[in-house]
Amino acid sequence: GENVEQHPSTLSVQEGDSAVIKCTYSDSASNYFPWYKQELGKRPQLIIDIRSNVGEKKDQRIAVTLNKTAKHFSLHITETQPEDSAVYFCAAFSGGGADGLTFGKGTHLIIQP
Amino acid sequence: NAGVTQTPKFRVLKTGQSMTLLCAQDMNHEYMYWYRQDPGMGLRLIHYSVGEGTTAKGEVPDGYNVSRLKKQNFLLGLESAAPSQTSVYFCASSYGQSFNEQFFGPGTRLTVL
C-alpha cells in the first residue's frame, strides 16, 4: 500500500516569514494530493489539493508543488500569520479501489510573534 | 446544512465494554470513512464505505466493525474495547473517492480504562 512520509514534525517560523512542509509518497500510481489543516481541538479541513497532471497550484498565500519523478510534494505558506498556527497533514490517494487517502503524520506549525 | 456530525463527543469505557459511534452526513455523499487519530501518528483509516450497504477494511480494521444501512449514516462498533483503542475518532464523507474533498466530523474522544 501507499506510504506517506512528512517532514518536519515541528516547524517554528517568525510571523511574516515563509514556511515549507515536505512529503514523499511511495506509490507511483497516486494521483491526488490534498493538504489538511487541523487547529487545536478541531476537525481537519482541506486547504489546498493538487492532481498528478499539475506541477503547481496556488491559492493566495498557499501553494503546493508536485514532483512526480521524485515522488514528493510540498506545501508553501508565505507571509505567515498567527492564524496559520496549526497541524498540517499531507495525504496521497492511490486509487484502484484501495484504501482511500493515506495521511502523513503531520507537521505542527508554530508562528512566533 | 449540518455537514458531518458524530455522536457522542466524548465517552469513557471500561476494558471489555462495547459501544457504537454514529456518523451522519446530510450532503448526499456516497463515500464515508472512519479514521482514528493518535498523537504523532496522523490519521489512520479504519474502515470505509463506497455506498449504502457496502463496507471495506482500511489500514487498521482489527477490533472494529462497521455498518452502512442507510446512505447518510455510518456506524463504527467496538465489540470488546481495549486500552489500545483509546483515541480520537473522526468520521468523514466525500462525493467521490479520488479528486474529492473529504469533509470531517467534529470527532469523538474515546478513553478505554
Side-chain angles (χ1 to χ4, degrees):
Chain A
E2 175 64 277
N3 182 49
V4 177
E5 299 282 342
Q6 182 172 348
H7 298 281
S9 57
T10 304
L11 177 60
S12 182
V13 301
Q14 290 293 125
E15 182 178 348
D17 288 349
S18 296
V20 181
I21 302 170
K22 299 181 179 181
C23 290
T24 61
Y25 60 98
S26 61
D27 188 346
S28 56
S30 289
N31 57 13
Y32 175 61
F33 307 92
W35 286 87
Y36 284 81
K37 175 183 179 183
Q38 186 179 28
E39 297 176 358
L40 187 63
K42 301 287 183 64
R43 70 191 78 188
Q45 291 190 297
L46 181 74
I47 55 171
I48 196 167
D49 56 11
I50 191 167
R51 301 187 182 192
S52 59
N53 60 348
V54 176
E56 184 174 359
K57 183 177 179 180
K58 190 173 181 180
D59 182 4
Q60 299 183 331
R61 297 186 298 109
I62 295 173
V64 57
T65 58
L66 171 65
N67 183 327
K68 284 195 298 181
T69 303
K71 289 191 280 188
H72 68 71
F73 57 112
S74 300
L75 178 72
H76 305 255
I77 305 174
T78 59
E79 301 172 10
T80 53
Q81 299 170 3
E83 55 265 34
D84 295 330
S85 292
V87 178
Y88 292 81
F89 293 97
C90 63
F93 178 78
S94 57
D99 295 337
L101 285 175
T102 300
F103 285 83
K105 293 183 178 180
T107 296
H108 185 194
L109 177 61
I110 302 166
I111 308 301
Q112 302 279 5
Chain B
N1 260 358
V4 181
T5 58
Q6 291 182 232
T7 310
K9 289 185 169 55
F10 304 94
R11 185 72 185 269
V12 178
L13 290 178
K14 294 182 180 179
T15 296
Q17 288 185 318
S18 64
M19 77 163 294
T20 300
L21 282 68
L22 171 63
C23 176
Q25 53 93 6
D26 61 2
M27 296 175 282
N28 201 33
H29 285 169
E30 289 293 335
Y31 294 81
M32 296 187 75
Y33 315 84
W34 276 107
Y35 295 91
R36 60 177 289 173
Q37 185 175 38
D38 303 294
M41 296 296 293
L43 290 149
R44 292 183 292 170
L45 185 65
I46 304 171
H47 285 279
Y48 65 102
S49 168
V50 301
E52 182 179 317
T54 72
T55 63
K57 294 180 179 180
E59 179 187 356
V60 288
D62 294 343
Y64 305 95
N65 56 75
V66 288
S67 64
R68 183 103 181 264
L69 298 179
K70 293 182 178 180
K71 184 177 182 178
Q72 63 268 34
N73 295 338
F74 196 28
L75 279 63
L76 179 71
L78 286 73
E79 290 187 348
S80 180
S84 61
Q85 295 178 303
T86 293
S87 188
V88 179
Y89 291 85
F90 285 99
C91 175
S93 71
S94 64
Y95 179 73
Q97 201 167 25
S98 184
F99 311 138
N100 278 265
E101 177 179 358
Q102 288 191 15
F103 293 85
F104 284 82
T108 295
R109 185 172 293 276
L110 175 66
T111 301
V112 183
L113 302 175

